[in-house]
Amino acid sequence: MIRVILMYVATFVAISFNAMAQNTNELKTVSDVELEKFLGVWYEIARFPHSFERDLVGVTATYSLKKNGNIRVLNQGYKNTLDGKVKSAKAFAKTPNPNEPGRLKVYFFWPFGADYLILDLDKDYQWALVGSSSPNYLWILSRSPQMDDGLYKSIVAKAQSLGYDISKLELVPQKLEE
């Protein structure tokens, strides 16, 4: 557990320093996010590989509102198989600028925050394309553990149009809906 948290910390520290060196305003985020609709469980459909999620499947991100207005973040997945040991990491997120609700900062280890950029979002909050200030981080999230192939391809095309190297995307195994 400590090792997983330390991997998250190290990665997000690296992202944070990378963000300082880059202009994060290059990527356009969604202009309207209703936080209440964004809260809840999101299934990771695809991602770029990185050390803090290595060998994790069935990954979810659960967002809930804290009393202070920040967002509680719980990321969890299963090691190697969908029946594997659960690995989790807790964090919090906030919107530094209310005029840019699609640009959040996530803190796994204070005071180092990483950009969480909502690049595209379904009008009904059923899927989201999330990136960072670094071109090395990208996630496709869904409210359900499976996604229609046509929809997935259209989101991937959007990511490619934003300059992401989509050849790095890897699908994340999820449990089948019952």
Side-chain angles (χ1 to χ4, degrees), residues 46-50 135-138 164-166 168-170:
R47 66 173 177 242
F48 280 0
H50 37 66
N136 299 318
Y137 298 91
L138 186 71
Y164 283 94
D165 177 4
I166 60 167
K168 296 190 317 187
L169 268 175
E170 57 183 31

Side-chain angles (χ1 to χ4, degrees), residues 16-83:
S16 297
F17 286 123
N18 191 21
M20 289 180 216
Q22 295 185 17
N23 181 359
T24 60
N25 292 322
E26 291 176 14
L27 286 174
K28 186 176 186 300
T29 60
V30 295
S31 59
D32 186 33
V33 178
E34 292 181 49
L35 184 57
E36 296 78 23
K37 289 183 179 182
F38 197 80
L39 299 175
V41 177
W42 290 91
Y43 294 87
E44 196 173 274
I45 301 299
R47 66 173 177 242
F48 280 0
H50 37 66
S51 61
F52 58 91
E53 286 188 298
R54 183 174 295 131
D55 298 326
L56 291 183
V57 298
V59 178
T60 59
T62 304
Y63 305 117
S64 58
L65 196 59
K66 295 175 74 170
K67 288 182 183 179
N68 66 3
N70 288 336
I71 303 162
R72 180 177 296 109
V73 178
L74 174 62
N75 291 340
Q76 55 187 12
Y78 302 92
K79 189 73 172 170
N80 297 315
T81 70
L82 293 169
D83 295 322

Side-chain angles (χ1 to χ4, degrees), residues 67-113:
K67 288 182 183 179
N68 66 3
N70 288 336
I71 303 162
R72 180 177 296 109
V73 178
L74 174 62
N75 291 340
Q76 55 187 12
Y78 302 92
K79 189 73 172 170
N80 297 315
T81 70
L82 293 169
D83 295 322
K85 184 177 177 181
V86 175
K87 301 287 185 179
S88 63
K90 295 179 181 179
F92 77 91
K94 63 182 182 177
T95 307
N97 181 349
N99 295 322
E100 294 182 295
R103 284 183 188 277
L104 290 87
K105 286 278 191 188
V106 178
Y107 299 87
F108 283 93
F109 181 73
W110 180 260
F112 301 104

